[in-house]
Amino acid sequence: MKGFWENCWKHRAHIVMALPAFLVLLFIMYVPMAGLVMAFKAFDYSKGIFGSPWNGIENFKFLLASKSTFYNITRNTVLYYLLFTAVGTVLNVALAIAIDNLMLKRLAKTMQTLMIIPVFISYAAVQFIVFAFIDTRTGIINNTLGLNTRFYSTAKLWPWILLVTKIWKDTGYGSVLYMSVLAGIDTSLYEAADIDGANKWQKICHITIPSLIPMITVMLLLSVGNVMHSDTGLFYQVTRNSGILYPTTQVLDSYVLNQIKSGSNFGYTAAASFFQSVVGLLLMLFANFTVRKIAPENALF
């Protein structure tokens, strides 16, 4: 213990610098975890979180009892994660490679800046942009193509609408990490490829993409933990929480938010959140274990 305090004093400057980030993590990420006990209690407002009586796993039984609803929102959550991750990863990598290969570097920097802008626009504003395109009467799509499609009452169209919205908002920012990896690739590899007569496509396939694989693996491993979580703003605000769209747009996060707003049993919603966290943790551990067996150098731990 004495050595621990001596080491802390020795590195006191670094500790002070890290203290704000530590406090943010403590009070925003860890302290609220005490509320998970509500998942095992029959929550009573008059008694508070810790004074409410325990009810074991009754909240989980109630969650699983609504099979059709629970199956639907779980299916939507997982399928949207797979769709967004697959398409997003491909586009992030492709965009990073395309910008990196632009001959006019000043133009590349300008394009990069413009593509990052959407990530700073909140979904509260994005919903109005989407509405401007797909509104039945005044929407740009219907007026331009002469259609009368009722987008806000046609559930089957929304997986594609949400995919386009997600790509537009996040792809530019997502490519930045891959561009940082591309900037660190040894240029002598490309020079050697030029001497061997390799064309642009061959250099991308045999040098650029293999160099990006470790970063792609790390990003996928980090995202696996959020497989049961979705962007609430995207599914709640962009869809305007329209009940008729629930079959294809309601996910676990938006479902929990709706239950909280309706003033229902908080123990039930806590059970749903606890289920999300446990499944995400197990999937991340399994994915990391698999990667460690195949390519140990790319595993997180």
Side-chain angles (χ1 to χ4, degrees):
M1 181 60 71
K2 181 180 179 181
F4 170 77
W5 291 113
E6 289 178 352
N7 190 51
C8 289
W9 178 252
K10 180 181 178 181
H11 299 284
R12 57 188 180 277
H14 299 98
I15 293 175
V16 171
M17 291 174 63
L19 187 60
F22 171 77
L23 292 176
V24 169
L25 287 174
L26 177 65
F27 290 108
I28 294 181
M29 304 298 292
Y30 288 96
V31 172
M33 290 179 67
L36 287 176
V37 297
M38 284 198 301
F40 305 95
K41 290 192 171 190
F43 182 73
D44 186 339
Y45 281 98
S46 62
K47 298 179 180 178
I49 296 177
F50 300 104
S52 299
W54 296 91
N55 68 347
I57 59 172
E58 290 302 316
N59 292 323
F60 294 93
K61 289 181 179 179
F62 183 70
L63 178 65
L64 296 175
S66 53
K67 293 182 180 179
S68 58
T69 301
F70 179 74
Y71 168 78
N72 185 60
I73 60 178
T74 303
R75 180 202 62 189
N76 288 346
T77 303
V78 174
L79 290 181
Y80 275 117
Y81 165 80
L82 295 175
L83 179 64
F84 291 164
T85 301
V87 176
T89 300
V90 171
L91 292 180
N92 287 342
V93 172
L95 183 60
I97 294 175
I99 293 177
D100 186 67
N101 282 277
L102 278 177
M103 298 299 293
L104 300 175
K105 297 302 179 184
R106 182 171 297 179
L107 176 61
K109 292 181 179 179
T110 303
M111 290 180 61
Q112 183 181 352
T113 302
L114 292 175
M115 289 183 295
I116 289 176
I117 291 177
V119 79
F120 298 106
I121 304 176
S122 71
Y123 278 112
V126 170
Q127 67 169 316
F128 294 108
I129 298 175
V130 174
F131 181 81
F133 276 90
I134 66 175
D135 180 49
T136 304
R137 293 177 300 172
T138 61
I140 295 174
I141 293 178
N142 279 339
N143 287 335
T144 302
L145 302 179
L147 302 175
N148 191 34
T149 305
R150 298 179 179 274
F151 290 96
Y152 283 99
S153 59
T154 310
K156 64 181 181 180
L157 296 176
W158 276 88
W160 307 110
I161 296 173
L162 294 175
L163 176 62
V164 172
T165 304
K166 182 73 172 178
I167 289 172
W168 170 78
K169 194 172 189 302
D170 292 346
T171 298
Y173 181 76
S175 66
V176 172
L177 289 175
Y178 298 108
M179 291 186 66
S180 65
V181 176
L182 294 176
I185 298 176
D186 190 354
T187 56
S188 63
L189 296 175
Y190 292 107
E191 294 170 358
D194 288 331
I195 295 174
D196 291 336
N199 57 34
K200 181 69 70 175
W201 178 248
Q202 289 173 327
K203 287 187 285 187
I204 290 175
C205 291
H206 297 287
I207 299 175
T208 305
I209 293 179
S211 299
L212 289 173
I213 288 178
M215 176 59 75
I216 294 173
T217 304
V218 170
M219 296 303 295
L220 289 177
L221 284 175
L222 290 174
S223 70
V224 166
N226 292 319
V227 64
M228 300 304 292
H229 290 272
S230 306
D231 199 323
T232 307
L234 177 64
F235 291 97
Y236 185 83
Q237 293 181 307
V238 174
T239 64
R240 302 202 164 194
N241 197 34
S242 176
I244 199 172
L245 302 179
Y246 281 173
T248 60
T249 63
Q250 190 168 59
V251 292
L252 279 166
D253 283 334
S254 61
Y255 176 74
V256 169
L257 181 58
N258 278 321
Q259 293 298 315
I260 292 174
K261 290 186 66 176
S262 65
S264 62
N265 186 358
F266 279 89
Y268 173 58
T269 56
S273 298
F274 189 80
F275 167 76
Q276 289 177 277
S277 301
V278 171
V279 172
L281 174 62
L282 294 177
L283 287 175
M284 187 187 70
L285 292 175
F286 174 75
N288 187 76
F289 173 78
T290 304
V291 171
R292 192 168 66 242
K293 290 294 184 181
I294 300 173
E297 68 279 3
N298 293 334
L300 290 176
F301 49 86

